Amino acid sequence: MDLSLSPAARHQLNNLLVCFSAGNLCFLRRWYDLEHLQERSMNYYRTAPETPALLVATIAAACLLSLAFYAAWRWVERNPSPLKLKFGYCGFLLALMFPLESVRQYWNTEGAAYDLATNIVIICIEAILASGVALALAGNPRVVRAARRITLVLTLLFPSLLIDFTWGRPTAEPESAFRPKPPAPMLARHGSGHRVLWVVFDEFDQRLAFDLRRPKVDLPELDRLRAESFTASAAEQTAGWTTLAIPSLISGKLFSRADLVDASTLRVYLADSKNGVSWRDEPNVFKRARAAGFNAALIGWHHPYCRVLGDELVNCVEVPSGYPTAALLRETSVDEAGPARSIPFLFALQGTSLADIFRRGTSESGSAGGRDRYVQGRQQKQYFRIRDLVYSMAADPRIDLLFAHFPIPHLFAIYDAKRGDFSLDSSLSYTDNLALADRTVGELRRALEQSGQWDSTTIIITSDHGLRPEVWRGRMGWTSELEQLTGGKQSPLVPLIVKVAGAHDAMAFDRSFSSVVESEIVFAALQGRLHSAFDVAALIGRPQGSLSAAALSKLSR
């Protein structure tokens, strides 16, 4: 039995393989996403094990594009003419240039560092393909034939990628690794009767919110709270990023580095140590509170708190942000929609990537703009969930310590300050989220007052880090005014407001100190060692003259 193919059949098979390879290469950027998402460290921000949804959607989209290429080339071959052949040759070469330029931009915008050598190599290859377009228009298909042979060889890329992506699945973390740790049993109500509500507003900037008061925004609830609280104007952030700043705040130690390891492990490093330790194994304020007989609870954004610290808490709700990389956001989006419904989404991503090639010099790329709008809507839902749970748990008299980490005023804006209502308009900015933080403080106050917990609760309002211009410049919500006010640089200062339970004295503190001391303030309040704003200052350590008239006057504005 002769299994050999006729020359015509071999020709069509080669055509099909070349089209398949070209279609697959056009989705090379998505393959890079999949490669990046294989890293076990990405599990830290996942809520469940990785699914094959993005892989399946990418293969399906690549196959559909391959069929479109094949149908187009069959049309050219069935009705050949010099013009159609030139059109087909040029289209083929341009289709190869697109993934090269798209990946080059991917490396430059989402890679760890700019690689000059790689950029030069890719640009040289693009230049050869561009010369091939010119030659093809002149009737010389020499470069086309060479590109066709190389593309045919690159068909082998597909099975090698599949092997690579399926090889690690048997050793992937099981579903159990993503479950929260069982909560600690509720202890009998502590006899001291002291409670602490520790609120972290993500990316709450001291400079813009209180020092400059620009861009102008009314913050009546925060002003009211500051007028009866200890208020620091020079509290320094523990780190410039949430992943590192929050562990430092909770543990009361300044960590210099944090590495994602797996679904429930964050390795942290002290400044003078080369050996990292698991954040979970470090002492922290929740362990201290538990040992002293207090019930601690947590509702938080960004970190998978309950997988790391859940068994130290009587109640824990985590809302991991899933925003450490753009690739993880795309995976999340595809998981939510399913592979079939995500195929148009992947083609839309290809369209925006193509548009970005011709969008040089604009403030926002199309792919970034679409991603920003997706994150904005997701972040608003996350805020609603955290807000409702915090209001409920803050009023629970059984909870002695509640740590609440909100995803505001962190961009993107989810609230319209002028309307006083929630919105997802792309024109909203950081000031709108500042107004939402103020509204949240007021609603928290009313929830505590209605439950009779206000006078017995010490309120601590702070942030993990200040506004980061280098992250948000050119993104949705960034304005020229913000660029001017920040000077294009991140301020190390974060707000710190401490309203001591039962006290109403105001104190402005302008000495510089690290906000890592907050865990000590929390524990002192739980033990009933804080009776006034001056006690907070004494705990921090106040040299004579640290209270200036100018600082005191800020509270009366």
Side-chain angles (χ1 to χ4, degrees):
M1 180 177 176
D2 188 2
L3 297 178
S4 63
L5 298 175
S6 66
R10 282 199 302 272
H11 175 73
Q12 290 305 320
L13 178 60
N14 283 343
N15 283 347
L16 182 60
L17 290 175
V18 168
C19 291
F20 176 76
S21 182
N24 191 45
L25 288 171
C26 283
F27 283 89
L28 193 57
R29 193 160 172 170
R30 301 288 76 80
W31 287 109
Y32 271 106
D33 280 347
L34 288 161
E35 180 70 29
H36 168 69
L37 291 167
Q38 278 193 289
E39 298 173 14
R40 196 180 186 94
S41 60
M42 289 295 98
N43 287 342
Y44 189 77
Y45 288 112
R46 288 189 173 106
T47 57
E50 179 186 8
T51 72
L54 181 57
L55 176 62
V56 171
T58 300
I59 293 173
C63 288
L64 287 174
L65 184 59
S66 301
L67 291 174
F69 285 161
Y70 183 69
W73 187 245
R74 286 284 289 166
W75 173 75
V76 171
E77 285 192 323
R78 285 176 178 174
N79 305 281
S81 71
L83 182 61
K84 288 180 181 178
L85 284 172
K86 289 178 181 180
F87 172 81
Y89 292 155
C90 292
F92 173 61
L93 294 176
L94 290 173
L96 296 181
M97 290 174 67
F98 163 69
L100 287 170
E101 182 60 18
S102 179
V103 166
R104 189 178 76 85
Q105 291 192 7
Y106 181 93
W107 285 341
N108 291 342
T109 58
E110 298 182 27
Y114 180 82
D115 188 337
L116 178 61
T118 301
N119 274 268
I120 291 173
V121 170
I122 291 179
I123 290 172
C124 288
I125 297 173
E126 290 176 355
I128 293 172
L129 293 174
S131 67
V133 172
L135 289 172
L137 289 173
N140 185 346
R142 182 183 305 171
V143 175
V144 174
R145 286 194 290 268
R148 175 187 167 88
R149 287 193 291 270
I150 294 171
T151 304
L152 184 60
V153 172
L154 288 176
T155 305
L156 298 174
L157 182 64
F158 179 73
S160 65
L161 287 171
L162 284 184
I163 292 171
D164 182 33
F165 294 140
T166 56
W167 189 263
R169 289 198 177 273
T171 59
E173 290 189 271
E175 190 276 334
S176 59
F178 296 84
R179 295 174 191 160
K181 287 185 166 45
M186 188 78 72
L187 300 172
R189 186 75 171 88
H190 200 277
S192 71
H194 299 287
R195 305 179 72 240
V196 177
L197 173 57
W198 188 5
V199 177
V200 174
F201 286 120
D202 204 290
E203 208 155 356
F204 193 13
D205 194 285
Q206 168 71 22
R207 169 181 49 182
L208 298 179
F210 301 117
D211 296 345
L212 297 176
R213 279 296 176 110
R214 293 175 57 202
K216 182 164 179 56
V217 60
D218 293 328
L219 304 174
E221 296 294 346
L222 282 164
D223 287 342
R224 179 185 177 191
L225 185 65
R226 294 170 77 226
E228 55 179 345
S229 303
F230 167 92
T231 304
S233 59
E236 296 180 356
Q237 63 191 18
T238 53
W241 298 83
T242 305
T243 302
L244 181 58
I246 291 292
S248 294
L249 283 175
I250 290 175
S251 298
K253 294 182 179 181
L254 279 175
F255 299 119
S256 61
R257 180 177 137 205
D259 294 337
L260 310 181
V261 178
D262 55 34
S264 58
T265 307
L266 182 72
R267 185 179 294 123
V268 293
Y269 299 78
L270 291 169
D272 56 352
S273 175
K274 294 182 180 179
N275 299 318
V277 295
S278 172
W279 175 29
R280 169 178 170 74
D281 296 334
E282 284 293 284
N284 64 56
V285 70
F286 303 126
K287 290 179 180 178
R288 290 181 69 187
R290 184 74 184 175
F294 296 101
N295 292 313
L298 183 153
I299 303 168
W301 188 63
H302 191 77
H303 280 279
Y305 293 103
C306 307
R307 297 202 299 255
V308 181
L309 309 172
D311 54 356
E312 302 162 11
L313 305 156
V314 297
N315 202 336
C316 181
V317 179
E318 62 189 20
V319 185
S321 67
Y323 193 30
T325 67
L328 195 53
L329 275 177
R330 287 188 275 267
E331 178 190 80
T332 303
S333 177
V334 171
D335 283 345
E336 291 173 354
R341 294 176 58 190
S342 296
I343 292 173
F345 166 69
L346 294 184
F347 275 104
L349 282 180
Q350 298 304 95
T352 53
S353 296
L354 179 61
D356 287 346
I357 295 174
F358 303 99
R359 210 191 298 257
R360 304 282 175 80
T362 58
S363 61
E364 180 181 303
S365 70
S367 54
R371 185 167 68 242
D372 293 353
R373 286 185 286 276
Y374 170 75
V375 174
Q376 182 189 41
R378 190 164 175 257
Q379 194 165 307
Q380 188 183 78
K381 294 176 183 176
Q382 292 170 334
Y383 168 81
F384 288 149
R385 185 183 178 203
I386 292 171
R387 177 200 64 182
D388 295 345
L389 288 167
V390 169
Y391 292 176
S392 173
M393 207 175 295
D396 186 343
R398 298 173 300 168
I399 304 299
D400 302 300
L401 167 60
L402 175 60
F403 179 89
H405 179 191
F406 284 92
I408 57 167
H410 185 291
L411 289 172
F412 304 99
I414 59 174
Y415 182 79
D416 189 329
K418 292 181 180 178
R419 291 175 46 224
D421 200 3
F422 293 91
S423 175
L424 294 177
D425 195 293
S426 61
S427 65
L428 303 177
S429 185
Y430 182 75
T431 52
D432 293 285
N433 271 5
L434 281 178
L436 177 56
D438 183 79
R439 170 174 167 163
T440 303
V441 169
E443 290 174 348
L444 265 173
R445 175 192 280 266
R446 287 186 285 277
L448 288 168
E449 287 174 342
Q450 290 170 5
S451 66
Q453 304 292 321
W454 175 256
D455 288 332
S456 62
T457 304
T458 293
I459 312 294
I460 300 175
I461 307 289
T462 189
S463 183
D464 50 351
H465 56 77
L467 182 65
R468 299 162 296 176
E470 72 278 7
V471 172
W472 305 116
R473 185 178 295 113
R475 307 291 293 278
M476 186 174 72
W478 189 255
T479 66
S480 58
E481 185 178 14
L482 285 173
E483 183 70 28
Q484 180 184 8
L485 292 173
T486 60
K489 297 179 180 179
Q490 181 179 2
S491 168
L493 302 182
V494 293
L496 177 58
I497 304 168
V498 183
K499 164 66 173 68
V500 177
H504 300 281
D505 57 323
M507 182 179 188
F509 189 85
D510 59 9
R511 176 191 169 190
S512 177
F513 65 96
S514 173
S515 57
V516 74
V517 75
E518 289 177 22
S519 64
E520 291 297 329
I521 297 174
V522 168
F523 198 66
L526 281 175
Q527 291 184 311
R529 293 189 283 116
L530 300 182
H531 305 285
S532 68
F534 283 89
D535 290 336
V536 180
L539 189 151
I540 294 171
R542 174 172 60 86
Q544 224 173 5
S546 69
L547 295 179
S548 66
L552 285 168
S553 68
K554 289 180 182 178
L555 291 175
S556 61
R557 279 188 304 186

